[in-house]
Amino acid sequence: MKKSFTTRSLHVRFPKDDPHRALDMPVYESVAFEFNSAEDISANFKGELPAHVYSRSTNPTVEFFELKMKKLTGAHQALAVVSGMTAISNTIMGICKAGDNIISGHHLFAHTYALFDQSLRNYGLESRFCDTTNAEAVEKLIDENTRAIYFETVTNPQLEIADIKKLAEVARKYNLILIADSTLTPPVVFDSKSFGVNIEVMSTTKYVSGGATSFGGVVLDNGNYDWLLNPNLKELHSKFGKDTFIARLRKNYYRNTGGAMSAHTAHYQIMGLDMLELRVERSYNNSMELGSFLRNHRKVKDVNYPGLKDADNYLLAEQQFSGVPGTILTFDLESEEACFAFMNKLKLIRRATNMNDNKSLIIHPWSTIYVEFPEEQRLGMKIFPTTMRLSVGIEAARDLIGDIEQALA
Ligand SMILES: *Cc1c(COP(=O)(O)O)cnc(C)c1O
């Protein structure tokens, strides 16, 4: 039988024995690494002697974090980077060139939307936005310059869930790469490969870091796409075969844009993986308890959490994410003023913008994250003035309920 996520995480072996037999991976905070001879360093640069050279390319602590991500997800290759945004931007740059386009979900993490709609557009790379919960809508936008389909496993704050197998079918039909941002559904609950995802990108700043300890991101290649099918990658295929995509990032975009994760960050992220399953379990149980409590409170107008049995997309959450569609929930009060008054009365739950911290965090997306968008556009994105987003932490459920109860009174 497959061992639990935590058991497996705790017992991944180092790629090389540590000279002191350290039990935990040491933090190799060194910029450069030395060679015994001029011949050796030359052999390394020719690609004949693999070794760490310079930490912007590879580093032993970061390499161990990548190895753990690979072992825990079953991915063919993993690349750790400095942030979620680096994982996303490097991935798209690694797949496309000017004149190409991608089809992307229209409800995206705000900075991903800005990256696609502004930054990458300036370099001739077009993003075509649509509702990825509707596979036919995705298919309609595809043309001969389309290279990938991009979606988020659970959108935030709408909490929409696409049928991933349907997206994978469309991607396969047109030889496109299916890319999932799985930040809200960590590898404890989501096995992206089994749904036909080719590339997974993740902001490990959120769950994996162990609770907002550090910025990080990871790119996972599931090894299930034939890189000969992508005109920008096929030349590298003769040299790198199955490793083509990660090789292109390592030798080009990742290295040349300076996206390296630091050894200290990798240390936090390694510890974060060991505690991930426990934390997700606790936050999920809290989310379920808070969800039912809020649903039954007379002052609460609406509660959205796809983990609740009567949610519209509960079935997709069950099938794709083992019933654990992240631990973010949203709820509505009668007005924006009521939301502000409620938030100001909270004594325990913090007013902050992050997600999947160990602490519970609350925000009013309408007046913060999305405030720069005109009102009509916000409504079009299903952002409403009456909605608050709660990132459920690992406190005791009774303490969180107590805080919410007194603030609603
Ligand atoms: C936070 C987040 C990102 C960006 O990650 P950073 O680590 O902050 O760069 C991308 N996608 C999703 C879904 C996120 O929640």
Side-chain angles (χ1 to χ4, degrees), residues 100-393:
D100 290 345
N101 68 70
I102 62 167
I103 317 294
S104 165
H106 58 169
H107 294 157
L108 290 176
F109 179 70
H111 295 167
T112 306
Y113 189 85
L115 170 75
F116 290 176
D117 196 43
Q118 297 160 27
S119 322
L120 294 179
R121 207 179 284 282
N122 287 341
Y123 295 88
L125 207 160
E126 185 196 355
S127 297
R128 302 179 172 179
F129 299 104
C130 70
D131 177 3
T132 39
T133 65
N134 176 354
E136 288 92 63
V138 171
E139 188 166 1
K140 276 196 191 125
L141 294 178
I142 295 170
D143 67 16
E144 70 280 8
N145 295 321
T146 305
R147 301 286 166 249
I149 300 172
Y150 184 96
F151 73 103
E152 293 180 0
T153 52
V154 178
T155 70
N156 149 42
Q158 303 85 2
L159 307 182
E160 293 161 345
I161 299 175
D163 186 328
I164 303 170
K165 282 191 171 157
K166 280 194 183 157
L167 290 179
E169 251 169 59
V170 176
R172 265 197 306 274
K173 183 169 163 192
Y174 295 89
N175 293 333
L176 305 179
I177 300 156
L178 183 62
I179 308 168
D181 177 337
S182 62
T183 301
L184 267 67
T185 52
V188 178
V189 301
F190 178 49
D191 174 11
S192 72
K193 192 175 175 178
S194 67
F195 294 93
V197 170
N198 304 120
I199 301 290
E200 197 176 343
V201 290
M202 206 182 293
S203 164
T204 62
T205 312
K206 311 292 164 51
Y207 279 116
V208 173
S209 75
T213 62
S214 50
F215 270 94
V218 76
V219 181
L220 300 171
D221 176 351
N222 281 331
N224 54 355
Y225 184 81
D226 178 0
W227 298 108
L228 282 171
L229 297 171
N230 179 295
N232 306 319
L233 286 150
K234 66 179 180 201
E235 268 174 39
L236 286 181
H237 190 271
S238 56
K239 186 160 181 207
F240 296 105
K242 238 185 146 182
D243 296 335
T244 293
F245 175 63
I246 295 292
R248 178 156 152 110
L249 294 189
R250 284 206 187 274
K251 296 196 167 297
N252 188 335
Y253 299 95
Y254 161 75
R255 187 192 65 191
N256 298 351
T257 59
M261 174 179 274
S262 78
H264 265 99
T265 292
H267 174 68
Y268 283 125
Q269 308 265 332
I270 287 164
M271 291 194 297
L273 278 176
D274 293 344
M275 307 296 279
L276 182 63
E277 189 182 35
L278 301 182
R279 294 174 51 248
V280 170
E281 220 168 270
R282 173 86 165 208
S283 291
Y284 166 72
N285 290 334
N286 283 350
S287 302
M288 291 297 281
E289 284 203 40
L290 286 180
S292 344
F293 169 80
L294 288 165
R295 180 152 291 171
N296 293 321
H297 198 287
R298 69 190 165 79
K299 285 195 182 162
V300 177
K301 300 291 165 207
D302 197 18
V303 181
N304 188 9
Y305 181 56
L308 294 169
K309 288 224 160 55
D310 52 0
D312 298 343
N313 47 11
Y314 172 76
L315 223 55
L316 279 173
E318 180 70 24
Q319 288 161 2
Q320 301 181 153
F321 315 124
S322 331
V324 185
T327 54
I328 305 293
L329 58 85
T330 66
F331 59 103
D332 288 60
L333 295 181
E334 64 182 2
S335 64
E336 181 168 353
E337 294 70 38
C339 292
F340 274 44
F342 167 77
M343 287 176 63
N344 289 336
K345 277 167 85 177
L346 289 168
K347 294 183 175 140
L348 201 62
I349 298 171
R350 310 292 185 94
R351 292 167 289 267
T353 184
N354 196 17
M355 296 189 297
N356 314 127
D357 193 318
N358 292 325
K359 305 173 187 73
S360 292
L361 309 178
I362 196 162
I363 196 159
H364 181 253
W366 173 270
S367 63
T368 55
I369 305 167
Y370 294 91
V371 76
E372 287 173 19
F373 294 95
E375 276 195 23
E376 239 166 71
Q377 201 176 347
R378 272 181 271 175
L379 294 170
M381 291 172 166
K382 299 194 186 159
I383 312 290
F384 303 110
T386 52
T387 310
M388 286 168 290
R389 180 186 87 188
L390 184 63
S391 169
V392 181

Side-chain angles (χ1 to χ4, degrees), residues 1-4 8 72 191:
M1 211 173 77
K2 195 172 180 185
K3 294 190 174 62
S4 85
R8 289 185 292 131
L72 290 167
D191 174 11

